[in-house]
Amino acid sequence: MATIGNDTNGRKRILFVAPDGSRKTIRLGKCDKKNAEAIVRHVENLLASKMSGQPVPRETAAWLANAGEQLKDRLARAELIEPVQTMTVADFLNQWQDNKKAAGHKIASMVAWGQTATELTKLFGNRAIASLTHADGEKFRATMQNRGLRPTTISKRLGHSRQMLEDAVRLAHITVNPWTHVRQRSGDQSERRAYVSLDQIQQVIEHCPSVHWKLLVALARYAGVRVPSEAFSLTWGDVDWERGRLNVPSPKTEHLGKTHRVIPLFPLLRPYLEEAFDQAIEGSVYVFPEQWLKRAQGPRGWANANLRTTFEKIIRRAHVEPWPRMFHSLRASCESDLAQSFPLAIVTKWLGNTPSVALRHYVDPTDVAFDQALVWQPKAKSGTESGTPVAQKAAQQPDAMSCNETIDLTQSVANQEDMQHPASCDNYIVFQHMEAAGIEPASRGTSR
């Protein structure tokens, strides 16, 4: 039914007649006779299956599943199998983003993923996703480096790309993730974080144009509230004046089941909250004007609030040099201050992150900590001596017995250390005598 033909330079081809009577050729390229004969057998099985309408034999089906894409394409052109639907990188990324959007992910997440998808489409959009290699991942990283993107941004986008390719594996578009080991070390997070002192922020608050702007800055610096998502979501029902607590809605973590957190109504924050309450319109629900909330619900979510431009003008008006990541730095400064006075586990519960995230992205040594270190000295007892009182306290026994009492300690050697009593005046301690030979018990004949 099918025969092997020889071309020049050792190239081979398979010749056969299709069911419609047309002559077909499948070119194999350079191939030895043994492999060519094996392919001929599978071609004949495919041809017989097509002519009879019967299923493809199991052996041929298994061979076809592992065949290369180029051979499958040639078999499809010879009408022996259905054309292979090749998914391009652009098609997959569009489908991936649509699925994420349908799953209800946050707009901010969609924007971040979209930036990575745009970069990938520019470089590899028309490529088959199955053709991506580790070298392509290295090229993607080098392209971002050449554009001058920060190491943290590159690391984040590489993480997004690995996430996308892992989903491609799960959906059976590719067999393995070729970019598993394509990574970028994150930069120093503290480079774009600044500690804003209480004096600086008080000076800025005094130059704020309205009570709501003063409250917004105070919430970020004195309570570590995320701006604008958490601040604009606050309602007057979230304020527990009597117990001194504030229920903070958390849109960022609500998809994880953490819809809110409870924080203290810190003394530095309370006056600004009270002033805003006194000036609130009768019947108002939200702490901040509703037009602020509506403005922040545009196509790009909370980013549409555009607070940064106005806030930078306020800072400059206060004769203070603007700091990087203005609202994030206020939240980080708050957490750094709280970490000096409260256990980090409690602080992170209040601010809605984890200790590992806090140490990496928020908490820095404050100036106060450095000033205290200038006069700090270790305790008089240090090293091994510092642990002695603790060990002694743990091993303390009841008070010594009264005078003229005799203690008969007949316990085994293993228990003597635990059962020793502090000496007291005129106490007589009688120990059970032991032979000098090792730790074996004394014989019955041993005198007492």
Side-chain angles (χ1 to χ4, degrees):
M1 296 175 64
T3 60
I4 300 175
N6 294 315
D7 291 335
T8 57
N9 299 326
R11 301 177 185 274
K12 290 181 171 54
R13 64 182 184 274
I14 298 176
L15 306 171
F16 66 93
V17 178
D20 60 1
S22 60
R23 185 182 177 87
K24 301 289 186 180
T25 301
I26 301 176
R27 299 190 181 277
L28 301 180
K30 287 187 177 181
C31 179
D32 58 45
K33 183 178 180 181
K34 184 178 179 180
N35 286 330
E37 289 175 347
I39 296 175
V40 164
R41 289 195 300 270
H42 292 302
V43 168
E44 290 177 343
N45 289 338
L46 291 171
L47 185 57
S49 175
K50 190 173 185 64
M51 293 176 66
S52 65
Q54 297 297 318
V56 176
R58 181 179 300 177
E59 178 186 1
T60 298
W63 168 81
L64 188 60
N66 295 319
E69 295 298 326
Q70 188 177 28
L71 180 56
K72 287 181 181 179
D73 184 59
R74 291 173 181 177
L75 292 172
R77 288 203 300 267
E79 300 181 355
L80 290 176
I81 63 174
E82 293 296 324
V84 178
Q85 298 295 330
T86 302
M87 175 168 282
T88 65
V89 172
D91 292 338
F92 170 74
L93 292 176
N94 290 333
Q95 184 183 90
W96 187 88
Q97 291 181 91
D98 290 341
N99 291 338
K100 290 296 182 182
K101 186 175 182 180
H105 286 275
K106 299 292 182 183
I107 295 177
S109 298
M110 296 301 303
V111 170
W113 289 330
Q115 292 170 343
T116 302
T118 300
E119 296 277 355
L120 291 172
T121 302
K122 287 180 180 178
L123 285 177
F124 313 111
N126 294 327
R127 289 264 304 274
I129 189 170
S131 70
L132 291 179
T133 64
H134 176 85
D136 293 322
E138 298 284 356
K139 177 182 178 181
F140 179 48
R141 180 177 62 187
T143 299
M144 292 188 288
Q145 290 173 339
N146 293 335
R147 289 177 50 205
L149 297 183
R150 303 182 70 87
T152 302
T153 302
I154 297 173
S155 176
K156 178 65 70 175
R157 294 188 180 179
L158 284 174
H160 289 164
S161 65
R162 290 195 301 271
Q163 176 187 357
M164 295 168 181
L165 291 176
E166 282 297 330
D167 284 346
V169 173
R170 181 176 57 82
L171 295 171
H173 297 308
I174 55 178
T175 56
V176 295
N177 185 347
W179 291 7
T180 299
H181 302 292
V182 181
R183 298 177 181 272
Q184 168 72 40
R185 185 183 297 274
S186 296
D188 186 358
Q189 302 291 338
S190 63
E191 289 181 354
R192 300 187 62 227
R193 185 170 65 240
Y195 178 79
V196 184
S197 68
L198 297 179
D199 291 339
Q200 285 179 310
I201 204 61
Q202 189 60 41
Q203 188 174 347
V204 171
I205 290 177
E206 290 174 358
H207 286 79
C208 286
S210 67
V211 63
H212 292 110
W213 261 105
K214 291 180 180 180
L215 177 59
L216 187 67
V217 177
L219 281 168
R221 180 58 181 87
Y222 298 146
V225 173
R226 294 183 177 97
V227 176
S229 61
E230 293 178 350
F232 286 3
S233 299
L234 282 173
T235 66
W236 290 116
D238 293 323
V239 185
D240 189 342
W241 300 103
E242 184 177 351
R243 299 178 64 196
R245 298 184 183 183
L246 184 64
N247 184 65
V248 180
S250 183
K252 181 178 181 179
T253 60
E254 64 182 3
H255 68 286
L256 301 175
K258 302 176 182 179
T259 58
H260 69 281
R261 65 181 188 276
V262 180
I263 66 173
L265 203 53
F266 297 103
L268 291 175
L269 170 65
R270 187 167 188 136
Y272 300 101
L273 200 58
E274 290 176 344
E275 185 178 2
F277 182 75
D278 292 337
Q279 297 188 21
I281 301 174
E282 187 71 24
S284 59
V285 175
Y286 289 95
V287 172
F288 287 91
E290 290 194 34
Q291 58 266 29
W292 287 26
L293 182 62
K294 292 179 180 178
R295 192 186 311 142
Q297 294 301 309
R300 299 184 66 236
W302 298 108
N304 206 56
N306 193 24
L307 298 170
R308 187 180 186 279
T309 302
T310 302
F311 190 33
E312 184 174 353
K313 292 179 180 178
I314 295 172
I315 294 173
R316 293 189 182 280
R317 194 181 304 137
H319 303 290
V320 176
E321 185 65 25
W323 50 84
R325 304 185 69 186
M326 290 184 289
F327 284 109
H328 177 86
S329 291
L330 293 184
R331 174 173 156 83
S333 300
C334 174
E335 189 156 11
S336 295
D337 286 344
L338 290 173
Q340 309 301 317
S341 303
F342 300 95
L344 189 59
I346 294 177
V347 174
T348 53
K349 285 287 185 181
W350 285 344
L351 269 72
N353 50 30
T354 62
S356 60
V357 170
L359 291 174
R360 180 172 176 80
H361 297 277
Y362 290 90
V363 177
D364 285 319
T366 64
D367 290 341
V368 174
F370 278 100
D371 292 340
Q372 291 175 349
L374 296 177
V375 296
W376 175 84
Q377 291 184 356
K379 294 181 179 179
K381 292 184 178 181
S382 59
T384 56
E385 293 183 2
S386 63
T388 303
V390 179
Q392 289 177 347
K393 184 176 181 180
Q396 278 182 355
Q397 302 297 329
D399 295 336
M401 301 177 68
S402 60
C403 297
N404 303 322
E405 289 185 353
T406 300
I407 305 174
D408 185 8
L409 298 181
T410 59
Q411 288 80 11
S412 65
V413 175
N415 292 334
Q416 284 182 14
E417 183 178 352
D418 294 334
M419 298 299 296
Q420 288 177 4
H421 290 260
S424 162
C425 60
D426 299 327
N427 279 354
Y428 296 94
I429 303 178
V430 181
F431 291 90
Q432 180 180 0
H433 295 287
M434 296 185 298
E435 294 290 343
I439 61 172
E440 295 295 328
S443 64
R444 290 179 182 244
T446 303
S447 60
R448 296 179 179 272

